[in-house]
Amino acid sequence: MSLPDFMLDPNVVLKDDAQWRFKTAPDYSLTNATFEETKTTNWAPDSLEGLVQNLVKNWEKEASYKVDPNEWRTISKEKYVFNLNGGKQNMSADDMLRIGTYSALIGKDGVEGAYELPAMDFTKSHKLFKGAMKTFNWEVLEVIGGPPKVSIRWRHWGKMTGNYRAQLNSGRTIFAKANNQLIEVFGVTVAQVNAKFEIESVETFWDPQQLFKQLLSEGLETLEGETFVEELVPLTSGACPVAH
């Protein structure tokens, strides 16, 4: 069986005629350039690691920007579920579209005092992280096993060149100054695919605290008396993978 295009080209789904969140496919040119400059691995195109990396990158693009899950080509529409850190609740594609990919990866409890889900939606969460880091790349470090089930050890990284600014459930706004440092987190994802290499399940394990400790290293302020205003940060160049 020949391999699907989403395992051969990490950007192929951007060519799809689909219902895109912002009317047209997002621009990943900055993310792709930064990836090539700062990655720590260099997988051969036909290696298992390279093929898995392409699959996950295309899945992230669809989960983040295609608003109709019926148009996600990287998943098995009948079976797809997402699970975080062994939790009891599996998320569907519709769940991920509702809360956003960042919130799905951080979890329903959020991070108290720094990122609280009821105050977030897809747009707010993506603007928050895109404002803090222009790119947030993802790469495969190791693949254990082979289809239909693989375990992926991964790295997710970016540089905090912008401020972190978010609204909490209480309505107050918090602020952390840009530290211009490398933000780097690691985790493991277990993915199950079918005979067409479509994803049936994704289980991701990582500690969201490791991300926020780095983002908030300059300290956290409360902007007293200020109503939260979304910063107008373009969402046209890709951010998160597994996540990115």
Side-chain angles (χ1 to χ4, degrees):
M1 178 180 177
S2 60
L3 293 171
D5 59 357
F6 54 73
M7 295 188 75
L8 302 174
D9 178 348
N11 299 291
V12 73
V13 299
L14 297 178
K15 303 172 185 176
D16 293 353
D17 181 13
Q19 297 180 63
W20 295 103
R21 186 173 294 275
F22 302 105
K23 308 305 180 185
T24 60
D27 179 4
Y28 270 69
S29 56
L30 178 59
T31 292
N32 292 338
T34 306
F35 174 77
E36 294 299 328
E37 293 168 1
T38 58
K39 65 183 179 179
T40 63
T41 55
N42 190 27
W43 303 117
D46 59 350
S47 66
L48 178 59
E49 294 85 356
L51 296 172
V52 168
Q53 185 167 268
N54 289 341
L55 169 58
V56 174
K57 283 178 176 286
N58 279 305
W59 166 78
E60 180 274 327
K61 292 174 176 68
E62 294 193 310
S64 294
Y65 294 107
K66 284 186 177 181
V67 297
D68 182 355
N70 291 316
E71 296 181 339
W72 296 13
R73 298 198 286 117
T74 57
I75 68 168
S76 166
K77 299 169 183 63
E78 297 77 20
K79 294 188 176 182
Y80 174 80
V81 291
F82 176 87
N83 185 276
L84 179 68
N85 291 333
K88 294 180 180 179
Q89 184 175 4
N90 289 327
M91 282 181 267
S92 66
D94 287 320
D95 292 331
M96 294 191 75
L97 285 169
R98 178 174 50 83
I99 68 173
T101 47
Y102 282 107
S103 292
L105 286 161
I106 292 167
K108 63 182 179 63
D109 295 328
V111 176
E112 187 177 359
Y115 187 95
E116 298 176 355
L117 264 68
M120 290 291 172
D121 58 19
F122 177 96
T123 300
K124 285 182 179 179
S125 65
H126 273 246
K127 284 185 175 180
L128 185 158
F129 286 105
K130 286 294 294 179
M133 295 179 288
K134 290 182 179 179
T135 65
F136 196 29
N137 266 299
W138 184 89
E139 68 176 335
V140 166
L141 298 179
E142 182 182 16
V143 174
I144 301 172
K149 196 168 195 175
V150 295
S151 296
I152 309 158
R153 191 167 61 87
W154 50 259
R155 171 182 177 245
H156 216 340
W157 77 100
K159 187 175 183 180
M160 189 183 182
T161 56
N163 300 325
Y164 180 93
R165 195 164 179 269
Q167 185 180 35
L168 301 182
N169 299 340
S170 63
R172 65 190 178 95
T173 300
I174 57 170
F175 174 89
K177 185 179 178 181
N179 58 29
N180 291 301
Q181 299 296 313
L182 174 68
I183 307 299
E184 187 176 42
V185 298
F186 301 88
V188 172
T189 292
V190 180
Q192 176 93 26
V193 298
N194 62 19
K196 297 179 181 178
F197 300 100
E198 298 167 336
I199 299 170
E200 294 183 339
S201 65
V202 178
E203 299 177 85
T204 289
F205 301 88
W206 77 300
D207 179 8
Q209 292 281 354
Q210 62 180 288
L211 171 62
F212 288 92
K213 284 179 181 177
Q214 295 173 72
L215 288 172
L216 309 182
S217 65
E218 295 292 305
L220 194 60
E221 304 175 33
T222 297
L223 303 181
E224 298 292 346
E226 179 176 327
T227 302
F228 180 80
V229 178
E230 294 179 17
E231 295 185 16
L232 297 179
V233 179
L235 296 181
T236 53
S237 56
C240 184
V242 172
H244 227 309

